Amino acid sequence: MSNVEVIKGEKPERVRKPDWLRVKAPGSEEYMKTRRLMRDLKLNTVCEEAACPNIGECWTQKHATVMILGDICTRACAFCNIKTGMPRTVDHDEPEHVATAVGELGLEHVVITSVDRDDLPDGGASQFVKVITQIREHSPGTTIEVLTPDFLRKKGAIEAVVEARPDVYNHNLETVPRLYTSIRPGARYYNSLRLLDRVKQLDPSIFTKSGVMAGLGEDKREVYQVMDDMRAAEVDFLTIGQYLRPTPRHAEVARYVTPDEFASYARMARAKGFLMVSASPLTRSSYHAGQDFAQLRANREEQLAKAR
């Protein structure tokens, strides 16, 4: 049964967000500085393009998830607010600009993501490699997390990114297999799962991470099965957050999952063996990524110490 509150009147029915999903509008001085830097360097961020609710908090703390390879995606997922169409030419100055932003923000940890680029022979993998290389050269102390597309039918793409040795390789499964045809029609669940498994096969030292959205119509048993699939692929870090409908054109929110339900998911995930779990209404892939990475590394060290 849905637990959403419906507002009725002359206008079409709409769903009111519960109190736990309401956040302050951004506008701090540090937020504006981060925004200006992204504009000056002509960089896109998933924070803006995907209308992330945490943008005010993250940008105030100078944490921005840079989105490379443009702001136009070749896919049209039902949950995503990023524009769909024919992307522009790859910006060859982008890797240097990203490295400059990392340096000016003084980031200890950075998250690099991208739109899907099915139009490119390698899906954009080489641009990820160049960005990682530039950051390593300019800010060797910064840890790097990549959140890549699925590289569907892009031979050698995963291998190229892994060889560049990011500290964290993230790829989101997004939802349960049953909902892929309606929510993520351009992707394949088991292809995404194999990507995560392949990363671990290539380099077990790289942390792997994946996330799903709650509130799209999935049930608990399906979420538990996704957890089991991820653990079979040795995924280290699981994120679960509430799906929020970007516009009326996107998939509807089936229901708002309560904080207690998210806490239950977190307990189950930890019991299944994930090194790290973030499950809450406002959890997103890169939310608190820096702090989470430090904890993730500490958890692995503790696990290894117990195994000795």
Side-chain angles (χ1 to χ4, degrees):
M1 180 180 293
S2 173
N3 62 352
V4 299
E5 181 180 355
V6 177
I7 311 301
K8 295 183 178 180
E10 294 183 1
K11 295 181 179 180
E13 292 186 354
R14 64 185 176 86
V15 174
R16 174 179 288 172
K17 293 179 184 176
D19 290 342
W20 61 76
L21 282 169
R22 293 174 187 172
V23 297
K24 291 182 179 180
S28 70
E29 183 179 348
E30 290 301 329
Y31 167 86
M32 297 307 296
K33 285 182 180 178
T34 302
R35 188 173 185 271
R36 283 195 295 272
L37 178 61
M38 295 300 144
R39 296 291 184 277
D40 291 344
L41 293 172
K42 298 179 181 178
L43 294 175
N44 299 301
T45 68
V46 75
C47 320
E48 291 179 291
E49 301 299 332
C52 180
N54 303 316
I55 187 170
E57 178 185 348
C58 292
W59 283 25
T60 294
Q61 298 173 3
K62 297 183 178 180
H63 294 160
T65 299
V66 179
M67 189 173 75
I68 63 174
L69 293 165
D71 62 351
I72 300 175
C73 187
T74 54
R75 306 272 178 95
C77 295
F79 64 87
C80 185
N81 197 45
I82 294 171
K83 295 188 291 289
T84 300
M86 180 54 68
R88 302 181 183 91
T89 304
V90 174
D91 180 1
H92 297 292
D93 294 326
E94 186 175 58
E96 185 176 350
H97 289 170
V98 173
T100 298
V102 170
E104 291 196 22
L105 289 170
L107 298 183
E108 295 181 1
H109 185 82
V110 63
V111 182
I112 308 298
T113 190
S114 81
V115 292
D116 278 284
R117 291 297 302 260
D118 296 312
D119 59 308
L120 300 175
D122 68 349
S126 58
Q127 190 79 337
F128 273 97
V129 172
K130 291 171 184 175
V131 169
I132 293 169
T133 301
Q134 284 290 318
I135 295 172
R136 296 281 189 227
E137 291 181 2
H138 288 78
S139 302
T142 300
T143 50
I144 301 172
E145 180 172 330
V146 295
L147 171 54
T148 75
D150 60 11
F151 295 131
L152 185 64
R153 293 185 286 273
K154 303 297 181 183
K155 187 176 180 180
I158 303 168
E159 289 77 5
V161 177
V162 170
E163 191 174 349
R165 302 207 76 247
D167 297 278
V168 181
Y169 196 123
N170 186 358
H171 175 67
N172 289 327
L173 294 184
E174 305 292 9
T175 189
V176 300
R178 176 176 58 84
L179 297 177
Y180 257 58
T181 53
S182 59
I183 300 301
R184 204 177 174 217
R188 302 292 181 270
Y189 178 80
Y190 289 104
N191 176 75
S192 287
L193 198 60
R194 282 194 296 270
L195 181 154
L196 293 161
D197 186 55
R198 181 63 176 154
V199 173
K200 277 297 186 186
Q201 290 177 6
L202 292 166
D203 190 340
S205 70
I206 295 176
F207 290 103
T208 50
K209 180 176 176 180
S210 189
V212 294
M213 296 172 288
L216 281 164
E218 72 292 332
D219 63 42
K220 285 187 178 182
R221 289 174 298 177
E222 290 176 307
V223 176
Y224 294 156
Q225 183 59 59
V226 171
M227 290 182 189
D228 288 338
D229 291 343
M230 287 186 187
R231 288 303 301 134
E234 299 185 62
V235 171
D236 298 300
F237 189 172
L238 168 65
T239 62
I240 309 178
Q242 172 69 51
Y243 166 66
L244 297 176
R245 191 183 194 186
T247 75
R249 301 189 309 274
H250 291 83
E252 294 183 5
V253 176
R255 73 186 191 97
Y256 288 116
V257 179
T258 67
D260 285 346
E261 289 177 275
F262 278 108
S264 177
Y265 277 141
R267 288 192 295 270
M268 179 61 75
R270 284 191 288 269
K272 289 179 181 292
F274 288 95
L275 271 181
M276 187 85 182
V277 181
S278 178
S280 75
L282 289 172
T283 290
R284 296 295 182 269
S285 289
S286 53
Y287 189 42
H288 294 161
Q291 300 98 305
D292 285 345
F293 175 72
Q295 187 61 54
L296 185 63
R297 188 158 50 185
N299 289 352
R300 174 183 279 178
E301 290 172 358
E302 181 181 351
Q303 184 185 67
L304 292 173
K306 288 180 180 179
R308 293 191 188 109

